[in-house]
Amino acid sequence: MLKVLIVDDESWTRDIIKAFGEWESLGMEIVGEAEDGKEALRMTEQLQPHIVITDMRMPGTDGAALLQMLNDQFPAIKTIVVSGYDDFQYAKHAIRFKAIDYLLKPVDPKELNTALQNCKSGLEAALMERGPLSLDLDISYSLASYKQLLKSHFNELNTDGVQATIAQMMEELERSGNTKAVMLEQVVQELLLLLKELMNANSQDSDALHAPYGQEVVESGANTSAFLTHHYLTTLGQLIHQRKFKNKLNLDEVRHYMEKHYSEPVTLEQLARVFFVSKEYLSKMFKQEFGRNVTDYMLHLRMVKAKEWLQDESIPIKAIAEMAGYEDITYFYRVFKKHFGIAPGEMRKSSEV
């Protein structure tokens, strides 16, 4: 098991990280918590964690100082920064001291688990003597919007969208001069990690993605683009074939898909496209099987999660709304009250009694 240390002076942030990390499936365990950098360094020497997740603003020894000390004394440790401040100076510290990712509070569960997966992959690569890759967060930031587009297009089985997104991404990298081999290596690793995540979410075997690739892949932007496009389109073609030519609709797969994507704007039309059936047929069969239509079931998933998170009074209601897929907190209040007959704040107060 990979050992993880969480460093933050706010207990509710530590609790959110503990609650939303997919620790078991990632092969990780939380071995300790610290409230400042000094305590974290002492615990690092004692517990020897593989990954440290740290806040930046803390009393005493802050996150910037901790990152520097970890980089100097424990260079093999992978670090993730979690900050409540979208401050470029903090981001520069994270880049300088080789943090794997820089996440803003409130922590998004998907971003957290993607960052943890990136740490795991980096550690695995080091063990395989390929050598750890120090991520350039500027490149990660430039890839972020394209990765979101790729996820959407992949989940909608949109091959044209996937191909166009990779092409646009590579064009931007070339315009900005980010086509050196070490930069393209990072692009390949981040995009393969995303593909692995997408394959696992769709019950596809991703073991083949661990296979080494030749140095020629990162010799030019054109080579990198061709390599990534081939992998994404091949994988997507397999998924389309798997879904399109099944003898019958598997409603458990539909439900599993919804449970994985409840925080996203999933619609009946999107589900029908993904599973190659008409929306009328899907709607009828889903309600017959689960007693709710697709829209009501998705709402139910979000409300159950929100109610569960409300039990922890240290999590702000605004953060709960965002994690349940609602950017508009007023709308979240209205939907929650209609569903449960009581406002989120009132439910939280009643649970305290």
Side-chain angles (χ1 to χ4, degrees), residues 16-68:
I16 285 178
I17 292 171
K18 287 189 293 183
F20 294 119
E22 297 174 359
W23 309 111
E24 187 174 345
S25 64
L26 287 167
M28 299 179 183
E29 61 177 339
I30 299 168
V31 294
E33 300 176 46
E35 295 187 354
D36 61 43
K38 185 177 180 180
E39 183 183 12
L41 193 62
R42 178 184 61 78
M43 294 181 75
T44 297
E45 293 170 346
Q46 176 187 348
L47 301 172
Q48 299 184 335
H50 300 94
I51 300 168
V52 173
I53 305 173
T54 182
D55 187 19
M56 292 302 280
R57 285 197 181 184
M58 297 180 290
T61 305
D62 66 6
L66 175 62
L67 286 175
Q68 182 173 355

Side-chain angles (χ1 to χ4, degrees), residues 81-87 102-108 111:
V81 171
V82 176
S83 178
Y85 301 89
D86 191 4
D87 188 313
Y102 185 93
L103 309 179
L104 290 177
K105 298 178 183 178
V107 177
D108 178 276
E111 291 180 357

Side-chain angles (χ1 to χ4, degrees), residues 2 50 76 78 100 116-135 185-186 188-190 192-193 196 209-213:
L2 296 176
H50 300 94
K78 301 299 180 186
I100 292 295
L116 289 169
Q117 180 62 62
N118 287 347
C119 289
K120 181 179 180 180
S121 297
L123 290 163
E124 288 174 347
L127 288 174
M128 292 170 65
E129 299 182 350
R130 184 178 181 90
L133 179 68
S134 299
L135 294 189
E185 176 81 12
Q186 178 175 334
V188 169
Q189 289 202 17
E190 288 205 38
L192 288 183
L193 283 170
K196 180 179 179 180
L209 289 182
H210 290 300
Y213 48 84

Side-chain angles (χ1 to χ4, degrees), residues 44-315:
T44 297
E45 293 170 346
Q46 176 187 348
L47 301 172
Q48 299 184 335
H50 300 94
I51 300 168
V52 173
I53 305 173
T54 182
D55 187 19
M56 292 302 280
R57 285 197 181 184
M58 297 180 290
T61 305
D62 66 6
L66 175 62
L67 286 175
Q68 182 173 355
M69 289 186 288
L70 290 175
N71 186 65
D72 292 343
Q73 299 178 40
F74 305 96
I77 289 177
K78 301 299 180 186
T79 55
I80 298 171
V81 171
V82 176
S83 178
Y85 301 89
D86 191 4
D87 188 313
F88 183 65
Q89 292 303 317
Y90 285 140
K92 284 203 300 185
H93 276 293
I95 293 168
R96 181 180 178 187
F97 297 116
K98 304 174 184 177
I100 292 295
D101 212 336
Y102 185 93
L103 309 179
L104 290 177
K105 298 178 183 178
V107 177
D108 178 276
K110 292 180 182 177
E111 291 180 357
L112 171 64
N113 287 300
T114 298
L116 289 169
Q117 180 62 62
N118 287 347
C119 289
K120 181 179 180 180
S121 297
L123 290 163
E124 288 174 347
L127 288 174
M128 292 170 65
E129 299 182 350
R130 184 178 181 90
L133 179 68
S134 299
L135 294 189
D136 183 328
L137 291 191
D138 283 340
I139 293 179
S140 289
Y141 293 151
S142 67
L143 294 180
S145 60
Y146 290 109
K147 288 164 76 172
Q148 285 300 116
L149 277 174
L150 281 173
K151 288 174 73 170
S152 297
H153 291 319
F154 190 97
N155 288 326
E156 293 174 0
L157 309 183
N158 183 349
T159 53
D160 290 341
V162 166
Q163 191 165 1
T165 300
I166 292 175
Q168 291 165 9
M169 177 188 71
M170 294 310 302
E171 286 174 10
E172 181 179 324
L173 288 171
E174 288 179 358
R175 283 196 304 270
S176 59
N178 291 325
T179 52
K180 294 179 181 178
V182 67
M183 297 174 178
L184 292 177
E185 176 81 12
Q186 178 175 334
V187 173
V188 169
Q189 289 202 17
E190 288 205 38
L191 269 291
L192 288 183
L193 283 170
L194 174 62
L195 183 56
K196 180 179 179 180
E197 175 190 331
L198 292 167
M199 292 175 76
N200 291 339
N202 287 284
S203 303
Q204 290 179 285
D205 183 7
S206 64
D207 288 345
L209 289 182
H210 290 300
Y213 48 84
Q215 186 62 30
E216 70 277 0
V217 169
V218 297
E219 285 179 352
S220 70
N223 287 6
T224 298
S225 181
F227 175 81
L228 292 172
T229 300
H230 170 74
H231 273 278
Y232 270 80
L233 293 188
T234 299
T235 303
L236 195 49
Q238 292 168 352
L239 181 59
I240 289 171
H241 186 273
Q242 173 186 319
R243 294 257 178 86
K244 195 172 184 178
F245 296 101
K246 276 192 170 180
N247 291 328
K248 64 177 183 177
L249 176 67
N250 188 326
L251 290 168
D252 282 331
E253 283 190 7
V254 177
R255 182 175 63 175
H256 177 72
Y257 181 95
M258 294 170 70
E259 289 170 351
K260 285 277 187 180
H261 300 277
Y262 67 86
S263 63
E264 302 169 19
V266 176
T267 64
L268 174 62
E269 289 78 6
Q270 180 185 339
L271 283 171
R273 285 197 305 272
V274 166
F275 289 94
F276 288 97
V277 293
S278 71
K279 62 181 183 180
E280 292 79 12
Y281 177 72
L282 176 58
S283 179
K284 177 184 175 183
M285 297 306 294
F286 191 92
K287 187 168 185 179
Q288 185 176 308
E289 179 72 16
F290 300 115
R292 288 188 175 95
N293 63 34
V294 166
T295 303
D296 288 343
Y297 191 83
M298 184 61 75
L299 176 66
H300 172 71
L301 285 175
R302 291 172 169 174
M303 292 299 102
V304 167
K305 285 289 185 183
K307 183 180 179 182
E308 177 185 326
W309 296 328
L310 278 170
Q311 305 307 308
D312 186 344
E313 61 186 67
S314 62
I315 307 176

